[in-house]
Amino acid sequence: MTGDGDRLTDDISIPSFGQALRRLRDERGFSREHLAYSAGVSASYVTLLEKGERGNPTRSVVEALLRCLDTKAPLTPTDRRHLFDLAGLRVDDAPTSEDLYDSLTPDQREALALFEPALAAYIAPGGDVLDANDGWYAAFPGLREDRNIFHWLFGNPIAKLVEPDWQTEARLYVQWLRMTVGRLPDDPALATLVSDLARYPHFRHFWSEGTVDFTPPVRTLRLRNPNSGTIREYNVQVGPIQCETHPDRIVLLLCLPL
């Protein structure tokens, strides 16, 4: 690590523990000395953490830092989990998208067609579409070829036509991706994805905002039919599917027409 996260380009980097800690400290107006004293560590140690020049802190140190930050303004559950993830306090393996696709059972694949008229897809952590029904691909033209939601959102011009709330949606997806990278810091595919997406100016802008969020289990999405121009609302439901070999790695994304 070379300070503030592994460099990808001049203006975008993989999130690091030190980067997140500094943001939370600055937001609360704490000096490094005050944070260090309250957490029972040295100011020089906090400086090295924020510069990425020390290894990951222990759970007890992270908890002490969080307690101090909470005294000024309570951290959100999202920021709290993100900080633990970035400290490497959650271990996970890194299956490829091909591994995840192979882990889908025949019943799970057949279920996609049964969800019609709902749009249904199985999604990997980095946004790869592992499998989807015909309704899904009809509603998101070009995604079958792009295969990845992020590359479709930022690299396919039709995405801005299909999604009337494109900027809001794109920003949310970037926030979810930052959260996923923090949760799975050892997944090389995610680092490669972020590096690839850095070619898109809008992605770099949203990424530089530094915010994270959980993927909500239920939300509303508006989609425009590119042929008729008609806009339709969907109730979007997201949840992990049962997978013994790779638990919590595949989500089912359902868009139920309203």
Side-chain angles (χ1 to χ4, degrees), residues 81-226:
R81 174 173 166 179
H82 189 53
L83 209 60
F84 275 109
D85 287 339
L86 291 173
L89 296 174
R90 171 176 174 147
V91 179
D92 210 341
D93 55 359
T96 65
S97 291
E98 289 74 18
D99 293 333
L100 295 175
Y101 175 80
D102 290 340
S103 70
L104 293 171
T105 67
D107 286 345
Q108 287 170 333
R109 293 193 181 97
E110 291 172 6
L112 290 171
L114 300 178
F115 285 122
E116 297 275 11
L119 320 178
Y122 296 122
I123 310 295
D128 282 348
V129 180
L130 304 175
D131 204 356
N133 61 18
D134 291 339
W136 170 276
Y137 287 124
F140 299 96
L143 187 50
R144 187 190 296 272
E145 294 74 25
D146 291 337
R147 300 184 60 190
N148 181 278
I149 292 176
F150 292 97
H151 280 295
W152 180 82
L153 267 175
F154 290 98
N156 196 323
I158 202 169
K160 292 182 179 179
L161 175 63
V162 169
E163 301 219 14
D165 306 310
W166 180 87
Q167 183 159 317
T168 298
E169 284 291 310
R171 176 177 278 110
L172 286 173
Y173 268 92
V174 172
Q175 292 173 357
W176 300 335
L177 181 59
R178 286 188 70 97
M179 193 74 186
T180 301
V181 171
R183 181 170 61 87
L184 305 171
D186 298 323
D187 190 332
L190 291 176
T192 299
L193 174 66
V194 173
S195 181
D196 288 345
L197 293 173
R199 78 184 80 163
Y200 305 121
H202 278 104
F203 177 84
R204 292 200 303 272
H205 173 71
F206 295 146
W207 186 270
S208 69
E209 293 175 348
T211 53
V212 295
D213 202 355
F214 290 115
T215 306
V218 180
R219 66 189 183 93
T220 300
L221 172 68
R222 297 197 308 155
L223 295 177
R224 178 186 288 114
N225 184 308

